[in-house]
Amino acid sequence: MSVHVKLPTVLRPFAGGVERVEIDVPGEPTVGAVFAALEAEHPALRRRLTDDQGALRRHVNVFLGNDNIRDLNALDTTLSDGDELLILPSVAGG
């Protein structure tokens, strides 16, 4: 099963400069499995997306379609073949 992950400009240097990554999900197709595969393929993303316990960092928002995965089942959200995840880190400033 394949899922696409769209990365914002700020994270692209940690994934070889690409805007979109296609991840083949082994096993159960969840957001957590996609993140594990993404971080294995691009280790520099690990500390920017998840904490030491593997939980999604507070400032990272992930959308499946129009839905924030925090409003669904978070990292346990089930995915379908061809789904696209959009990662948006929160931006502070003013």
Side-chain angles (χ1 to χ4, degrees):
M1 187 182 99
S2 178
V3 173
H4 300 278
V5 180
K6 189 167 181 184
L7 300 170
T9 305
V10 70
L11 292 178
R12 291 177 193 165
F14 306 105
V18 298
E19 176 183 353
R20 190 172 173 194
V21 178
E22 184 174 344
I23 299 293
D24 291 320
V25 184
E28 187 178 356
T30 64
V31 174
V34 169
F35 270 45
L38 178 65
E39 291 174 343
E41 192 172 313
H42 301 285
L45 285 173
R46 182 178 314 273
R47 58 182 265 254
R48 288 157 182 86
L49 300 176
T50 56
D51 62 21
D52 293 335
Q53 290 74 40
L56 191 62
R57 291 194 177 274
R58 282 188 347 204
H59 67 277
V60 175
N61 295 298
V62 180
F63 291 87
L64 173 60
N66 292 326
D67 297 315
N68 189 322
I69 64 161
R70 293 180 198 279
D71 298 330
L72 301 171
N73 289 324
L75 292 176
D76 293 328
T77 300
T78 303
L79 301 171
S80 298
D81 191 36
D83 276 348
E84 182 171 89
L85 296 174
L86 172 63
I87 299 174
L88 291 176
S90 297
V91 179

